[in-house]
Amino acid sequence: MRYLHTMVRVTDLDQALDFYVNKFGLVETRRIENEKGRFTLVFLAAPDDLAEAEAGGSRGRPTLELTYNWDPETYTGGRNFGHLAYEVDDIYATCDKLMKAGVTINRPPRDGNMAFVRSPDNISIELLQKGDPKPPAEPWASMPNTGAW
């Protein structure tokens, strides 16, 4: 058995790609437009997983699959999904980049190890520091939580 992907439904594909690609840094590896089914699938990989995802052919892994249904739907229960998790080289730099791009840091990395943000579709995303936690640093150490994560 091996892990392939996680699928999340998005309500605005352009907004989702702006978040996941432009702000968060994932890379699009594949796209499927299905006119009969009236949906678009976009597969994204983390930069460090890109070679493996592209080598996997039609089942490239590990990826995040964004599903955009062309007919409007209302999705609820994003918190019930749980969360996605990504390891980052520098949690402080990553959170700073996201914050400067207008992304709310819901759970700041006060411990130098873990933070949470949310996508435009309310998917909770955990960021974990690669290797050992960084020493606590400001402004993160004293920053309060914002909203739910």
Side-chain angles (χ1 to χ4, degrees):
M1 183 184 312
R2 66 182 177 157
Y3 174 79
L4 295 176
H5 65 263
T6 297
M7 183 274 272
V8 294
R9 289 182 176 90
V10 300
T11 56
D12 182 323
L13 186 57
D14 292 333
Q15 183 183 37
L17 288 172
D18 179 57
F19 174 79
Y20 286 107
V21 175
N22 298 333
K23 294 174 181 168
F24 198 61
L26 300 183
V27 179
E28 183 174 332
T29 62
R30 184 165 54 110
R31 183 181 291 231
I32 299 168
E33 303 273 348
N34 187 312
E35 288 190 36
K36 185 176 180 182
R38 301 189 46 75
F39 63 85
T40 301
L41 306 179
V42 179
F43 292 84
L44 307 172
D48 288 353
D49 294 326
L50 191 56
E52 186 177 5
E54 290 178 336
S58 67
R59 291 203 176 177
R61 62 173 179 86
T63 56
L64 172 64
E65 173 191 333
L66 303 181
T67 297
Y68 172 68
N69 292 307
W70 300 354
D71 298 317
E73 291 184 43
T74 301
Y75 303 114
T76 59
R79 184 82 174 143
N80 295 342
F81 163 80
H83 65 269
L84 304 174
Y86 289 91
E87 181 180 71
V88 298
D89 289 329
D90 183 330
I91 197 158
Y92 295 143
T94 300
C95 287
D96 186 59
K97 176 187 167 198
L98 289 168
M99 201 164 66
K100 286 177 178 171
V103 176
T104 299
I105 309 301
N106 299 100
R107 193 277 192 195
R110 289 183 292 274
D111 56 3
N113 187 55
M114 179 181 69
F116 277 86
V117 298
R118 284 186 171 268
S119 77
D121 288 287
N122 219 23
I123 300 297
S124 187
I125 302 171
E126 179 181 24
L127 306 173
L128 293 168
Q129 173 61 41
K130 186 178 199 175
D132 293 331
K134 291 185 155 294
E138 293 299 337
W140 314 108
S142 60
M143 190 179 287
N145 290 343
T146 303
W149 45 274

